[in-house]
Amino acid sequence: MTDLNRIELHLHLEGAAPPSFIGGLAKEKKVDIARAFDVQGGYAFGDFAQFLKVYEVATSVLSTPEDYYRLTLAVLEEQAEQGILYTETFLAPDFCGKGDVSAWREYLAAMQEAADQAEAQFGTILRGIVTAVRHFGPDQAKDTALCAAETAGDWIVGFGLAGDERMGQKRDFAWSFDLAREAGLRLTAHAGEWGGPASVRDALDHLRVERIGHGVQAIDDPALVERLVEDGITLEVCPGSNVALGVYGAWNGHPIQKLRDAGVKVTVSTDDPPFFHTSMTDEYDHLAETFGWQDDDFRAINMTAAQSAFCDAVTRERLIKKLEPTDD
Ligand code: ADE
Ligand code: ZN
């Protein structure tokens, strides 16, 4: 088995579903989602708005806890292939039981069963971050936060906000984030992917998060970069996703190196890898080619990720031990 020494903090579970998996499930259920695929069998979208639509079409075939059990197992097999020891994945009760707490518990039990099996079989560890979808609005987010608060613990470790950053205001979600915080959950929100520095500031001020999903557009505001450093905020950076969606035109224009040079806590994730034709290995290869990152750089990035993970202290120690260089 590949050595497991990578950590991924930002992975959407449905976004990690290979098109062949979703296509196979659609066939089994006799539903026609051909519009979600291109002629090569990949997911078909041209921009972020289309991506979000295709994501929902693909997700629509995942309609039972058993479907999520199979998906979780397939995703974790791939995580192990990619050398990933520990993953935090975004889970949306909007898709898993339509925001109903007892239905959500059934989906969650299925995903946890798959995660236990994958950990025993492949050695890779999974934890969940319950995530509201911004473009579904603040009222639906409250149901999501209730699902999160009801299931907070050693496995559901965080609460987050994904979706279309260009819709609504961060402060509209403050109630949900307050509830999740009171339930003991750690907090992250997508910001500074499509929005500029003000969007990152709003996430810090109104949602009081300790990690930011993406956050890369903070680079346009030196005072904000300084604040990220001073407050010890970790960025879940997904460079391949940003390049695939056109946030940046090419790898050499991506600000990950500048953010790291400025002292921001930077980690590397894949976001929705099959959608963006990427993998953790591809991300590392691009970072090595573009910015000259070497083993020590990757070890440092993974150590930052271990320290910023939302898991319990015992699990974190396991991760840190695994990442420390050995004498042999
Ligand atoms: N949901 C899945 N992928 C996402 C992304 N890159 N940004 C916002 N919401 C998402
Ligand atoms: Zn994301």
Side-chain angles (χ1 to χ4, degrees):
M1 196 202 292
T2 330
D3 191 28
L4 302 182
N5 56 11
R6 298 170 173 178
I7 295 184
E8 174 149 46
L9 298 182
H10 188 121
L11 182 78
H12 300 263
L13 188 63
E14 299 89 358
S20 56
F21 178 93
I22 293 295
L25 207 52
K27 215 174 204 172
E28 276 176 34
K29 298 185 178 201
K30 298 188 176 33
V31 289
D32 178 10
I33 57 158
R35 66 192 183 285
F37 304 114
D38 60 23
V39 284
Q40 284 97 29
Y43 292 113
F45 58 91
D47 58 19
F48 183 58
Q50 288 173 18
F51 159 75
L52 290 174
K53 283 208 180 99
V54 168
Y55 190 104
E56 277 175 42
V57 172
T59 299
S60 69
V61 303
L62 295 160
S63 55
T64 67
E66 166 71 16
D67 295 338
Y68 272 87
Y69 169 84
R70 287 165 63 184
L71 172 63
T72 305
L73 209 49
V75 168
L76 288 175
E77 186 167 3
E78 177 61 17
Q79 292 298 92
E81 283 283 311
Q82 293 292 322
I84 296 168
L85 171 62
Y86 175 87
T87 305
E88 285 179 12
T89 191
F90 296 119
L91 304 171
D94 290 295
F95 300 134
C96 301
K98 298 190 170 62
D100 174 77
V101 177
S102 59
W104 160 244
R105 282 188 191 282
E106 286 179 28
Y107 280 83
L108 182 58
M111 292 185 275
Q112 279 187 266
E113 192 186 334
D116 286 348
Q117 194 178 321
E119 188 172 335
Q121 209 173 329
F122 314 121
T124 192
I125 303 166
L126 185 68
R127 295 290 183 269
I129 298 176
V130 172
T131 304
V133 180
R134 183 162 169 161
H135 53 273
F136 294 166
D139 284 341
Q140 235 168 284
K142 288 180 183 171
D143 290 340
T144 301
L146 287 166
C147 287
E150 285 290 324
T151 53
D154 281 351
W155 204 84
I156 290 296
V157 291
F159 183 72
L161 180 67
D164 196 339
E165 191 185 346
R166 299 165 300 194
M167 289 174 69
Q169 297 295 326
K170 288 273 190 316
R171 74 173 75 88
D172 299 337
F173 297 89
W175 186 94
S176 295
F177 275 74
D178 288 346
L179 182 77
R181 188 184 308 103
E182 280 159 24
L185 290 162
R186 314 273 299 271
L187 306 176
T188 177
H190 284 56
E193 179 189 22
W194 298 101
S199 173
V200 176
R201 275 212 174 78
D202 280 351
L204 299 175
D205 292 340
H206 297 295
L207 308 183
R208 295 166 51 206
V209 295
E210 58 183 291
R211 292 193 336 220
I212 299 270
H214 300 281
V216 285
Q217 297 210 32
I219 197 66
D220 296 330
D221 181 339
L224 177 60
V225 171
E226 217 166 280
R227 177 175 177 189
L228 295 177
V229 176
E230 270 172 22
D231 292 356
I233 303 296
T234 296
L235 301 189
E236 305 152 7
V237 182
C238 310
S241 158
N242 296 153
V243 173
L245 286 171
V247 179
Y248 297 98
W251 273 82
N252 61 11
H254 194 281
I256 189 166
Q257 181 68 51
K258 285 187 187 147
L259 288 161
R260 197 173 168 225
D261 288 344
V264 178
K265 289 189 193 171
V266 159
T267 61
V268 172
S269 292
T270 59
D271 212 5
D272 309 280
F275 282 83
F276 304 139
H277 304 283
T278 190
S279 66
M280 197 59 107
T281 299
D282 287 346
E283 300 286 322
Y284 281 36
D285 286 349
H286 279 293
L287 289 163
E289 274 164 33
T290 314
F291 303 113
W293 288 17
Q294 300 186 359
D295 287 353
D296 282 353
D297 297 290
F298 291 113
R299 191 176 298 117
I301 289 286
N302 282 307
M303 198 56 96
T304 300
Q307 279 152 355
S308 308
F310 289 163
C311 58
D312 60 273
V314 173
T315 307
R316 185 189 321 288
E317 275 314 303
R318 264 174 81 190
L319 304 182
I320 289 174
K321 244 203 183 95
K322 191 79 202 295
L323 295 176
E324 276 166 354
T326 49
D327 294 335
D328 46 68

